[in-house]
Amino acid sequence: MPTRRLLLLHLLAVAGAAVPADGRRLLPWDDAGAVLRLPSEAAAAAAAAGCEMTYGFLPCTDTAVGNMFLILAYGFLMFKAATYLSAGSELLLQILGPGIVGGLFLPILGALPDAMLILVSGLSGSKEVAQSQVLIGMGLLAGSTVMLLTLLWGSCVVVGKCDLLENSTATDSRDTKGFSLFGSGVSTDVQTSYAARIMAISVLPFIIVQIPKIFRLHSGHRLTVLLGLIVAALLVLAYCLYQIFQPWIQRRRLEYARLKHVMSGVLRHAQMHVFGRLLDEDGSPNISVIEKLFHKIDQDNDGKLERGELQAFIIGVKFEDIDLDSNVAADQVMADFDTSQNYAIEKEEFVNGILRWLEEAKRSVSSSGAYSKKFLQDFHTRTRDEHNLLLGKDDEDDEGIEYPTWTCFKAISLLLLGTAMAAAFADPLVDAVHNFSNATSIPSFFISFIAMPLATNSSEAVSAIIFASRKKQRTLSLTFSEVYGGVTMNNTLCLAVFLALVYTRGLTWDFSSEVLIIFLVCTIMGLFTSFRTNFPLWTCFIAYLLYPLSLIMVYVLDFKFGWS
């Protein structure tokens, strides 16, 4: 017993020495990592120091460095949640096909992480705490919208730029003018401008809730919040129905799926009928075999492939039971390979095109980038299933998805995991942002405006930039359409969640400067992209400049003119 008492006194002395002089023991470990606390002891210590541990066991701190670490940790977990939701949505689309799934569920699932963060920002705590924390939700809403229309939009123009013709139309896959502000740029189709107009219309609920501020009314604030909520919910429904019955984006995906099916058929045929493998044992491309394929197609041996030679080769490719027009397929391959635009494919263009196809095939079947010898067969099976599903064929007409039960289980598991992670870590992320704001005296709006969209939108942003880098009008049209669609869901679904929170908890709507920057950015970019389809490189600077200008405007209006 005396030995145990001495040991206990020694431990107490060490613990007391580990506590700083100011008494701030907020994390369950000290700065040197010397003392570990039980969850109950850590929670008691945190409460005594004015820091409440989320769920009673997650760490918290009132220091700037500690909260920065927590923001990065929880932000990464929210990023993974968004990634799982995206992967699960794609698998669900493979199983059920477009239509209701592609038009209704996928846009909602894409906006789920943002909506979850907005919800928890004002759901917990007293009304006063909710009023202070709900600014984080508004910062996320504004930051996500502004980031998509400025930084991401401008980056897609830069990576997707091609040479502009005299009529300002971009030439697919031809980028010889470098960073010429007027000589290079991107082009989209007309349907993309329709998506931009829908995005511009989606700011209507913001205007409605600002009516009392605009006309300086002393009453009617709750009524306009409720009216804005109803309008936002109706716009969500209308947008989803539009996606179902007028699926412009899904039609572009069908066109791209057809090209991918041609790619898989050609590569598979070449692997089976050309002497040698297209890839070596280590996964590196076999250039000599690709050149043999070129000479096999080049029947007149003139060193270039004309459209007739290409079509003759495609007719010989077995596409199984897929009804594929050889004329359309030849046109697609010519458009994808003929970067010089001389209506013929030289050997170098052919080799570069096949290499690009091989990389895309490997990336499609393996998210980890690992090389598998049967990846061409996997790519062929996947593209065939995708093509059939987009055409609306059922299992009676084709073989269907291989292992549909496992694919369905995987899709549901990813969706449930992503949803659970978004729900679990949204609250501690909001708390970390709020505590970091208190520790640094930086307004929480600016922190959430800059940092939180990176956690919830970075996965989609990287995918959009990679897709835009193909430098094709059809892929750029799909990229920009999805950017506009993401903003539309922010302005409708996420705003509806925010307004429902404000209305049910009786919070004060006092976000005039934040609403103003959303309205201005959406209106400027909406009008700018609604009535034109060609965007020279200089237009990216308009988008880039709107981002810092938005932050400056909020700061000036709130802290110089007292709008907050």
Side-chain angles (χ1 to χ4, degrees):
M1 286 295 293
T3 304
R4 291 182 179 180
R5 289 178 182 177
L6 289 174
L7 178 60
L8 178 61
L9 290 174
H10 178 69
L11 290 175
L12 290 174
V14 171
V19 177
D22 57 5
R24 292 188 297 175
R25 164 64 58 191
L26 301 177
L27 287 169
W29 57 84
D30 68 355
D31 297 335
V35 178
L36 293 176
R37 295 176 181 268
L38 295 175
S40 58
E41 295 174 338
C51 173
E52 182 178 356
M53 302 178 69
T54 308
Y55 308 133
F57 65 89
L58 291 180
C60 67
T61 176
D62 67 349
T63 64
V65 175
N67 279 297
M68 175 62 72
F69 171 79
L70 293 178
I71 291 174
L72 293 175
Y74 295 137
F76 174 76
L77 292 171
M78 290 298 295
F79 164 75
K80 296 299 293 184
T83 303
Y84 293 144
L85 286 170
S86 177
S89 299
E90 291 180 359
L91 288 176
L92 196 65
L93 184 61
Q94 290 183 29
I95 299 169
L96 302 178
I100 294 179
V101 175
L104 180 60
F105 293 109
L106 297 191
I108 293 176
L109 288 173
L112 182 61
D114 284 355
M116 198 74 69
L117 282 167
I118 291 171
L119 180 64
V120 302
S121 67
L123 196 60
S124 60
S126 63
K127 182 178 178 180
E128 291 74 16
V129 173
Q131 186 69 54
S132 64
Q133 287 194 348
V134 80
L135 191 60
I136 298 174
M138 177 55 70
L140 171 62
L141 180 59
S144 179
T145 296
V146 173
M147 188 196 76
L148 289 174
L149 288 178
T150 58
L151 300 181
L152 181 58
W153 192 95
S155 298
C156 288
V157 172
V158 173
V159 300
K161 65 181 178 62
C162 298
D163 294 347
L164 296 180
L165 301 177
E166 293 182 358
N167 60 354
S168 298
T169 302
T171 305
D172 284 355
S173 301
R174 185 173 183 178
D175 185 17
T176 62
K177 297 182 179 180
F179 289 90
S180 174
L181 297 180
F182 297 92
S184 62
V186 300
S187 294
T188 61
D189 57 20
V190 177
Q191 285 75 24
T192 306
S193 63
Y194 298 161
R197 295 174 191 177
I198 295 173
M199 177 195 69
I201 295 173
S202 67
V203 299
L204 180 61
F206 287 103
I207 300 176
I208 293 175
V209 295
Q210 283 298 114
I211 289 178
K213 297 289 185 179
I214 296 173
F215 296 100
R216 298 184 179 180
L217 302 178
H218 299 288
S219 60
H221 290 76
R222 282 183 57 81
L223 179 62
T224 54
V225 169
L226 179 60
L227 182 60
L229 170 60
I230 295 173
V231 172
L234 291 176
L235 286 177
V236 172
L237 179 61
Y239 179 72
C240 292
L241 292 175
Y242 174 81
Q243 288 291 313
I244 295 173
F245 296 108
Q246 297 291 333
W248 302 111
I249 295 178
Q250 295 180 48
R251 290 178 184 175
R252 282 193 285 269
R253 286 176 175 168
L254 176 59
E255 181 184 354
Y256 186 59
R258 286 171 178 160
L259 174 61
K260 287 174 67 177
H261 192 73
V262 173
M263 292 165 52
S264 68
V266 170
L267 294 175
R268 187 165 173 261
H269 180 84
Q271 185 86 333
M272 295 172 61
H273 296 88
V274 178
F275 298 105
R277 301 182 63 87
L278 294 175
L279 296 178
D280 294 329
E281 293 294 329
D282 60 352
S284 59
N286 193 328
I287 303 298
S288 62
V289 172
I290 299 175
E291 291 177 346
K292 288 180 183 179
L293 176 61
F294 174 85
H295 292 300
K296 180 179 179 179
I297 303 174
D298 184 18
Q299 297 177 355
D300 57 6
N301 297 318
D302 62 350
K304 57 184 178 181
L305 304 181
E306 284 81 13
R307 186 184 177 282
E309 294 174 320
L310 198 59
Q311 185 176 358
F313 172 74
I314 290 175
I315 292 175
V317 177
K318 300 300 183 182
F319 288 102
E320 298 178 349
D321 56 347
I322 301 297
D323 183 17
L324 195 66
D325 190 336
S326 61
N327 289 303
V328 175
D331 290 337
Q332 287 183 314
V333 176
M334 287 290 295
D336 205 42
F337 280 23
D338 184 19
T339 57
S340 61
Q341 302 293 313
N342 63 347
Y343 305 101
I345 302 175
E346 284 79 15
K347 181 189 290 188
E348 183 180 358
E349 292 176 329
F350 182 81
V351 172
N352 291 334
I354 293 295
L355 292 178
R356 189 169 64 248
W357 281 11
L358 289 171
E359 285 299 320
E360 185 159 349
K362 287 193 293 184
R363 187 170 61 247
S364 297
V365 300
S366 177
S367 59
S368 64
Y371 168 63
S372 171
K373 291 183 178 181
K374 65 168 190 168
F375 82 99
L376 283 180
Q377 179 60 42
D378 296 338
F379 181 60
H380 178 75
T381 302
R382 177 172 297 189
T383 52
R384 181 198 61 208
D385 294 338
E386 181 182 354
H387 185 267
N388 287 334
L389 286 170
L390 287 172
L391 285 175
K393 295 184 179 181
D394 53 27
D395 294 335
E396 296 178 357
D397 299 325
D398 55 72
E399 299 177 9
I401 296 178
E402 191 175 5
Y403 311 119
T405 303
W406 166 249
T407 304
C408 182
F409 173 77
K410 185 177 180 180
I412 295 175
S413 299
L414 287 172
L415 292 175
L416 291 176
L417 178 60
T419 303
M421 289 182 63
F425 296 108
D427 194 16
L429 178 57
V430 170
D431 289 341
V433 171
H434 184 72
N435 293 334
F436 182 79
S437 174
N438 292 335
T440 60
S441 299
I442 300 175
S444 58
F445 170 84
F446 294 103
I447 302 171
S448 57
F449 185 97
I450 297 172
M452 295 180 73
L454 297 177
T456 58
N457 295 299
S458 56
S459 177
E460 290 78 5
V462 171
S463 299
I465 292 175
I466 293 175
F467 213 48
S469 65
R470 287 186 61 87
K471 298 181 181 294
K472 301 284 185 179
Q473 185 190 63
R474 63 179 178 271
T475 54
L476 284 162
S477 298
L478 178 58
T479 298
F480 285 116
S481 295
E482 293 188 338
V483 169
Y484 303 146
V487 175
T488 301
M489 293 304 292
N490 283 345
N491 293 344
T492 54
L493 177 62
C494 294
L495 178 62
V497 173
F498 191 88
L499 292 176
L501 188 65
V502 171
Y503 184 80
T504 55
R505 299 217 60 184
L507 305 179
T508 303
W509 178 267
D510 192 15
F511 308 103
S512 299
S513 59
E514 294 82 1
V515 169
L516 180 60
I517 63 170
I518 295 175
F519 174 79
L520 288 178
V521 171
C522 289
T523 302
I524 292 172
M525 295 300 295
L527 293 176
F528 185 63
T529 57
S530 294
F531 301 101
R532 60 185 302 164
T533 57
N534 300 316
F535 303 95
L537 184 59
W538 63 264
T539 58
C540 73
F541 292 104
I542 295 178
Y544 284 144
L545 287 174
L546 285 175
Y547 188 82
L549 287 177
S550 300
L551 287 170
I552 294 172
M553 185 178 297
V554 171
Y555 177 79
V556 171
L557 292 177
D558 282 351
F559 297 97
K560 300 299 180 182
F561 292 94
W563 279 31
S564 60

